[in-house]
């Protein structure tokens, strides 16, 4: 496999055996490498194909803040859950859920984690999403020894529900969830003395927009990364 683009020392875009572009991950597999160099197969621990041009951009952005092994586990669990439960999601979930989980992991490591019990429980309406959340908790515990609190189950499930495409985007419970989340953010900002005014109007609006799912802001991109193989359990 020849390198097309080096994303960091552990991740690269390559031309796969079938000539199609793929992303490979492994400890140090791209260290000192450049375009045209060959990747050593023995160093590759995770591989997934690219279905659209945005996959590389999304992954590049994630890798600026999130370790490659954390991204690999999150991406593979999303891909596996769609196949296991026949529960399709929009491609933005790969980014939003991975960032959410890594942020939760950092707060756990720093002793700053606070469970959020104010989110609605939609398990009766979307049981598959909560099964997916259970798989995430188990997957991270088994693969990376990251033991998320049970309170994360609801947060993960709601991310999955929000990304469940057009069938969910029109559902009233999700609209309600969207409003509840923005209200929670507003309350937190007010408690810290931050209110909307003429000086921060644009920044304030952009902040709240980040907490609304993409289908509420416009059509999401189609396509998602397709994992071919996932392994490796050591942080890179």
């Amino acid at each position: 496999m020849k390198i097309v683009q080096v994303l960091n020392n552990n991740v690269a875009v390559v031309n796969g055996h079938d000539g199609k572009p793929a992303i490979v991950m492994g400890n140090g597999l791209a260290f000192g490498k450049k375009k045209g160099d060959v990747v050593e197969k023995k160093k590759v621990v995770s591989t997934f194909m690219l279905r659209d041009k945005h996959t590389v951009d999304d992954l590049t952005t994630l890798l600026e803040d999130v370790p490659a092994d954390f991204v690999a586990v999150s991406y593979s669990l999303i891909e596996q859950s769609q196949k296991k439960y026949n529960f399709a999601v929009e491609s933005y979930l790969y980014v939003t859920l991975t960032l959410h989980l890594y942020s939760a992991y950092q707060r756990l490591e720093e002793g700053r984690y606070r469970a959020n019990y104010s989110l609605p429980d939609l398990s009766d309406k979307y049981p598959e999403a909560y099964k997916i959340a259970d798989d995430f908790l188990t997957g991270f515990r088994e693969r990376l020894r990251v033991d998320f609190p049970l309170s994360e189950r609801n947060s993960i499930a709601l991310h999955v529900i929000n990304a469940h495409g057009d069938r969910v985007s029109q559902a009233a419970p999700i609209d309600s969830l969207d409003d509840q989340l923005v209200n929670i953010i507003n309350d937190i900002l007010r408690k810290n003395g931050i209110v909307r005014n003429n000086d921060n109007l644009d920044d304030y609006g952009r902040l709240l927009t980040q907490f609304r799912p993409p289908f509420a802001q416009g059509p999401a991109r189609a396509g998602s990364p397709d994992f071919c193989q996932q392994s490796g359990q050591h942080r890179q």
Side-chain angles (χ1 to χ4, degrees):
M1 294 181 289
K2 289 188 176 182
I3 293 177
V4 176
Q5 180 181 354
V6 173
L7 300 186
N8 65 23
N9 289 338
N10 308 312
V11 185
V13 181
V14 300
N15 279 324
H17 298 297
D18 55 1
K20 295 181 180 180
I23 289 178
V24 291
M25 297 183 180
N27 190 21
L29 64 78
F31 179 74
K33 301 286 188 179
K34 61 182 183 301
K35 183 177 179 179
D37 289 346
V38 176
V39 171
E40 297 179 55
K41 291 183 180 179
K42 64 181 181 180
K43 289 189 175 182
V44 177
V45 295
S46 301
T47 304
F48 58 93
M49 306 305 295
L50 304 182
R51 289 188 178 179
D52 64 60
K53 63 181 181 180
H54 301 291
T55 305
V56 173
D57 293 337
D58 291 343
L59 184 57
T60 300
T61 300
L62 277 176
L63 290 171
E64 292 177 358
D65 300 303
V66 185
D69 61 342
F70 198 100
V71 173
V73 171
S74 181
Y75 272 40
S76 67
L77 288 170
I78 293 172
E79 193 68 15
Q80 292 167 14
S81 65
Q82 291 184 82
K83 296 174 182 178
K84 181 177 179 179
Y85 299 104
N86 192 27
F87 199 84
V89 295
E90 298 290 347
S91 60
Y92 66 80
L93 183 68
Y94 290 85
V95 176
T96 58
L97 183 53
T98 302
L99 286 174
H100 166 80
L101 288 171
Y102 189 64
S103 176
Y105 165 74
Q106 288 181 305
R107 295 195 303 274
L108 277 172
E109 290 291 287
E110 297 168 4
R112 298 185 295 106
Y113 184 86
R114 297 292 182 272
N116 185 353
Y117 296 109
S118 62
L119 296 176
D121 186 332
L122 303 179
S123 56
D124 289 342
K125 291 183 177 294
Y126 305 103
E128 294 88 353
Y130 285 80
K131 292 177 182 178
I132 291 171
D134 289 336
D135 288 352
F136 262 80
L137 296 179
T138 300
F140 270 93
R141 183 169 57 250
E142 292 180 348
R143 301 184 196 186
L144 292 180
R145 297 182 180 178
V146 176
D147 196 6
F148 286 112
L150 187 58
S151 57
E152 274 301 303
R153 179 176 185 259
N154 208 28
S155 296
I156 295 170
L158 293 176
H159 271 84
V160 173
I161 293 168
N162 273 344
H164 189 38
D166 294 337
R167 287 169 293 177
V168 175
S169 66
Q170 302 301 320
I174 301 304
D175 293 336
S176 176
L177 169 62
D178 187 20
D179 292 337
Q180 288 184 45
L181 184 55
V182 171
N183 287 337
I184 291 170
I185 299 303
N186 271 317
D187 287 341
I188 293 173
L189 292 174
R190 281 195 295 270
K191 289 177 181 178
N192 285 275
I194 302 173
V195 295
R196 188 193 300 264
N197 55 48
N198 289 333
D199 293 331
N200 67 13
L201 186 62
D202 291 339
D203 291 336
Y204 198 101
R206 281 194 293 269
L207 174 63
L208 294 185
T209 299
Q210 299 304 312
F211 293 94
R212 293 186 180 277
F215 59 68
Q217 305 168 28
R221 296 194 300 267
S224 64
D226 181 18
F227 264 82
C228 300
Q229 173 187 349
Q230 199 287 323
S231 61
Q233 302 179 12
H234 301 289
R235 190 163 303 285
Q236 301 164 6

